Amino acid sequence: MSSDTELQECEDCLAPAKAFSVIANETRLSILEALWQAPERPVGFSELRKEVGMRDSAQFNYHLKQLTDHFVVRTDEGYDFRQAGKKVVSAVLAGSFNEHPHLDPIELDETCAACGSHLRATYEEETLTVACPDCGKAHGNYPFPPGGLNDRTSDEIMDAFNQRVRHLHCLAADGVCPECNGKMGTTVKKDTENVLGTKVRVDHHCEQCHHQLHSTVGLSLLDQSRVVTFYSDHGIDLCTKPFWSLTWCVGDETTTVLSEDPWRIRVSITLSDETLNITLDADMNVVEIDQGCPSATDAESAA
């Protein structure tokens, strides 16, 4: 290959169909799960066989060899995971392969940015949706693996969802795909397809696996230092505040398109008697910040 950044050909790599056939075996999945649950790794052959519960050493060795070099690695101290093996177990634990749970609607304390009614969270097809049951305005709609519902109260589920969405968009904004770690690009465009019901939206698209995330402009500011400090100065911990309760995150009523070529978009965040105006470019980089008093029509409650 001519470039260090280009993928090198892999003579020992498994084709996807072959890789799935390797792990489509109860014993091999048990080996991966035992390795996952081990208090320390690497794990010796005998100890690993004992945890799996297989008496026949030769048969166990056969299955372990099928996993070695692709899903696990053999070292002088024993066996440990390769990244592919970790992904298999984490997917099983997340419930993506074998769980289809039902979750009753969760009535939320937060209110709709459009009509003021209390919001509701619903779960369907591994997706958690926060929306207004009265006017229908969506406040968030993102994948949430079934495993995230296990052993959690409704409040804990919503807190986990809040943190997950923040994490997904933080990675995407940094150019890292949250699904495959591939290179992710950012594009600002008019929301002519009414994906979010806003004037403009931000699309993150992975060049490798083609995973996509759509968001408002404001959502990219959740971990912006000046925004976090602005809230902290008003006695609010933005890091734990539900994103669906923030008007500037779920819509674009406080978003102003200053220009389209190049893109310059201003998001205005108002708390008490102050407004923080943040101008971003097409890559969601902050190009200007100013702080002052809001107009009477811009006042937003800090609650």
Side-chain angles (χ1 to χ4, degrees):
M1 296 289 182
S2 60
S3 171
D4 291 339
T5 61
E6 293 180 2
L7 291 176
Q8 302 295 314
E9 292 185 8
C10 178
E11 296 180 357
D12 297 325
C13 291
L14 285 178
K18 177 64 175 177
F20 280 108
S21 69
V22 168
I23 59 173
N25 177 280
E26 186 174 351
T27 298
R28 295 168 200 169
L29 285 176
S30 296
I31 292 172
L32 293 176
E33 290 179 11
L35 199 57
W36 181 279
Q37 295 171 2
E40 293 184 3
R41 292 192 295 267
V43 183
F45 178 90
S46 297
E47 183 181 352
L48 193 57
R49 180 169 65 88
K50 179 180 178 181
E51 290 300 317
V52 172
M54 180 173 286
R55 295 182 179 181
D56 190 328
S57 178
Q59 186 179 13
F60 179 78
N61 185 53
Y62 168 76
H63 288 295
L64 186 56
K65 279 187 174 181
Q66 300 304 305
L67 294 170
T68 303
D69 295 333
H70 302 293
F71 297 96
V72 302
V73 60
R74 182 179 181 181
T75 69
D76 292 338
E77 293 78 25
Y79 292 86
D80 202 346
F81 274 118
R82 292 197 67 183
Q83 189 62 30
K86 287 184 179 180
K87 294 289 285 186
V88 169
V89 179
S90 62
V92 171
L93 293 176
S96 299
F97 293 153
N98 59 342
E99 294 184 22
H100 304 283
H102 169 77
L103 180 68
D104 290 332
I106 301 173
E107 305 298 330
L108 304 177
D109 293 332
E110 294 78 31
T111 56
C112 176
C115 73
S117 297
H118 282 279
L119 298 171
R120 178 183 296 161
T122 55
Y123 190 75
E124 187 175 354
E125 298 296 331
E126 299 187 16
T127 297
L128 193 59
T129 300
V130 176
C132 177
D134 290 345
C135 74
K137 179 177 174 58
H139 287 60
N141 180 57
Y142 295 98
F144 193 71
L149 307 179
N150 295 335
D151 299 321
R152 282 191 170 122
T153 64
S154 295
D155 288 345
E156 290 171 338
I157 289 172
M158 296 313 300
D159 180 62
F161 178 62
N162 181 40
Q163 297 304 325
R164 173 177 168 79
V165 172
R166 288 166 173 265
H167 176 67
L168 293 177
H169 283 278
C170 183
L171 283 174
D174 287 339
V176 180
C177 176
E179 290 293 321
C180 74
N181 293 324
K183 185 177 180 181
M184 209 154 197
T186 297
T187 305
V188 177
K189 63 190 301 183
K190 291 183 178 180
D191 192 16
T192 55
E193 300 95 339
N194 199 32
V195 173
L196 300 178
T198 55
K199 296 187 291 288
V200 293
R201 73 171 193 260
V202 180
D203 288 354
H204 302 289
H205 181 267
C206 178
E207 298 176 4
Q208 180 165 278
C209 73
H210 306 299
H211 176 67
Q212 292 189 79
L213 280 174
H214 308 293
S215 75
T216 62
V217 176
L219 198 58
S220 65
L221 296 174
L222 279 171
D223 64 345
Q224 210 282 330
S225 59
R226 282 290 297 275
V227 177
V228 173
T229 300
F230 182 61
Y231 269 79
S232 179
D233 289 344
H234 288 80
I236 302 171
D237 183 2
L238 183 60
C239 296
T240 59
K241 194 169 179 63
F243 73 86
W244 55 85
S245 69
L246 303 167
T247 302
W248 49 273
C249 272
V250 299
D252 58 5
E253 291 82 359
T254 64
T255 299
T256 305
V257 176
L258 303 176
S259 68
E260 296 183 21
D261 188 17
W263 281 103
R264 290 292 184 270
I265 305 171
R266 183 178 66 213
V267 178
S268 299
I269 304 171
T270 302
L271 295 173
S272 300
D273 59 348
E274 290 185 288
T275 294
L276 188 68
N277 295 306
I278 303 179
T279 303
L280 305 101
D281 63 15
D283 296 318
M284 293 294 96
N285 295 316
V286 175
V287 296
E288 184 180 352
I289 298 177
D290 68 82
Q291 187 171 334
C293 297
S295 65
T297 57
D298 288 336
E300 177 186 20
S301 171

